[in-house]
């Protein structure tokens, strides 16, 4: 199948005063893929995402989203993308159904809250207040809010940071479900195991520059081909496997 480009970023730069946080990066995201932006803190991941999301001004470069030029029609871009809303602090007294209806109103979209809550496995929390949910539930809800306007592309900035192993795996399944419905996903993460499981392709970004970009498989093969060897013998399992094996996959968030 031919790869259709849905996002094209060319020579993107972002300066905060004298400091250049993004130093001329270029990449394409293909329709229907999960694309990962990986990199240490301060690498420029969030800045890059927020520029594409039209939430931050770029200094120079071009960004095309589904054929729409960011410089010409940012409002058109807004209509076809899903961005995680900062729900924390907003109306902590409203329940999930009420929050979805509220956000639907902001987007001028008629939404079916139950359908959306089903998608993220929160149907039984429909009448629960946002503040009463666990970390994993809050993240799932925040991902649900990205889907309100039936976007072609969703942006997830570190959606699994701070979650326990069960909640993290549960979120991976959710992201895969969303992609399976045809939505393109751009995700940032610090967890390489996560990127390996989820991402079709990744860009590794460091100090505002892309230093590698390919499928996780290809990047690993390239490293091995360069003569790299693991310093010690690799066991058949790791501590995370032990943890999951002992505690199971079931979510722990009954609060
Ligand atoms: P990441 O998401 O990869 O951790 P960010 O895009 O948040 O990185 O930040 C990249 C760099 O730009 C960091 O050095 C950060 O301190 C700086 N930065 C981010 N936002 C601002 C801002 N509003 N003003 C000044 N510097 C900023
Ligand atoms: Mg960030």
């Amino acid at each position: 199948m031919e790869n259709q480009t849905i996002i094209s970023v060319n020579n993107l730069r972002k300066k905060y005063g004298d400091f250049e946080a993004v130093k001329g990066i270029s990449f394409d995201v293909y329709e229907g893929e999960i694309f990962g932006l990986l990199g240490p803190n301060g690498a420029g991941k969030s800045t890059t995402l927020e520029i594409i999301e039209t939430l931050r001004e770029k200094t120079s470069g071009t960004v095309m989203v589904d054929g729409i030029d960011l410089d010409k029609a940012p409002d058109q871009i807004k209509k076809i993308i899903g961005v995680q809303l900062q729900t924390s602090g907003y109306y902590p007294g409203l329940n999930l159904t009420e929050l979805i209806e509220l956000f639907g109103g902001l987007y001028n979209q008629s939404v079916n809250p139950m359908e959306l809550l089903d998608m993220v496995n929160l149907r039984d929390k429909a009448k629960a207040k946002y503040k009463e949910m666990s970390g994993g539930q809050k993240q799932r809800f925040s991902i649900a809010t990205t889907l309100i306007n039936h976007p072609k592309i969703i942006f997830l900035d570190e959606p699994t940071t701070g979650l326990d192993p069960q909640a993290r795996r549960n979120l991976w399944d959710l992201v895969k479900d969303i992609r399976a419905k045809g939505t393109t996903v751009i995700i940032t993460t610090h967890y390489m195991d996560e990127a390996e499981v989820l991402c079709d392709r990744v860009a590794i970004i460091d100090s505002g520059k892309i230093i590698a970009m390919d499928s996780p498989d290809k990047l690993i093969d390239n490293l091995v081909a360069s003569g790299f060897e693991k310093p010690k013998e690799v066991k058949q399992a790791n501590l995370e496997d032990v943890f999951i094996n002992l505690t199971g996959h079931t979510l722990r968030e009954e609060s």
Side-chain angles (χ1 to χ4, degrees), residues 100-163:
I100 289 175
E101 279 163 353
L102 177 75
F103 291 140
L106 295 180
Y107 277 122
N108 217 356
Q109 294 272 334
S110 70
V111 283
N112 180 338
M114 284 327 254
E115 200 177 290
L116 211 55
L117 290 174
D118 265 341
M119 175 87 196
V120 297
N121 201 14
L122 284 174
R123 170 178 277 267
D124 55 346
K125 294 284 171 185
K127 296 293 172 213
K129 294 188 167 77
Y130 179 76
K131 64 180 178 191
E132 295 163 356
M133 293 194 295
S134 71
Q137 290 168 337
K138 282 181 177 156
Q139 275 301 346
R140 294 213 300 281
F141 181 72
S142 134
I143 291 176
T145 67
T146 70
L147 302 171
I148 286 174
N149 59 332
H150 308 287
K152 288 190 177 179
I153 309 162
I154 63 167
F155 294 82
L156 305 175
D157 198 352
E158 292 187 34
T160 63
T161 296
L163 299 185

Side-chain angles (χ1 to χ4, degrees), residues 16 19 21-22 39-48 56 157-158 190:
Y16 295 111
F19 172 69
V22 177
N41 280 328
K45 304 180 297 294
S46 296
T47 299
T48 302
R56 222 177 258 251
D157 198 352
E158 292 187 34
H190 294 295

Side-chain angles (χ1 to χ4, degrees), residues 133-204:
M133 293 194 295
S134 71
Q137 290 168 337
K138 282 181 177 156
Q139 275 301 346
R140 294 213 300 281
F141 181 72
S142 134
I143 291 176
T145 67
T146 70
L147 302 171
I148 286 174
N149 59 332
H150 308 287
K152 288 190 177 179
I153 309 162
I154 63 167
F155 294 82
L156 305 175
D157 198 352
E158 292 187 34
T160 63
T161 296
L163 299 185
D164 70 29
Q166 283 87 0
R168 220 153 63 89
R169 280 166 173 68
N170 182 264
L171 222 85
W172 298 349
D173 291 339
L174 172 57
V175 172
K176 286 181 185 167
D177 285 350
I178 291 170
R179 192 264 302 270
K181 291 194 159 74
T183 311
T184 306
V185 179
I186 304 189
I187 185 168
T188 72
T189 179
H190 294 295
Y191 304 113
M192 295 306 125
D193 59 335
E194 177 165 306
E196 213 178 317
V197 169
L198 273 186
C199 298
D200 298 293
R201 292 187 311 132
V202 299
I204 300 177

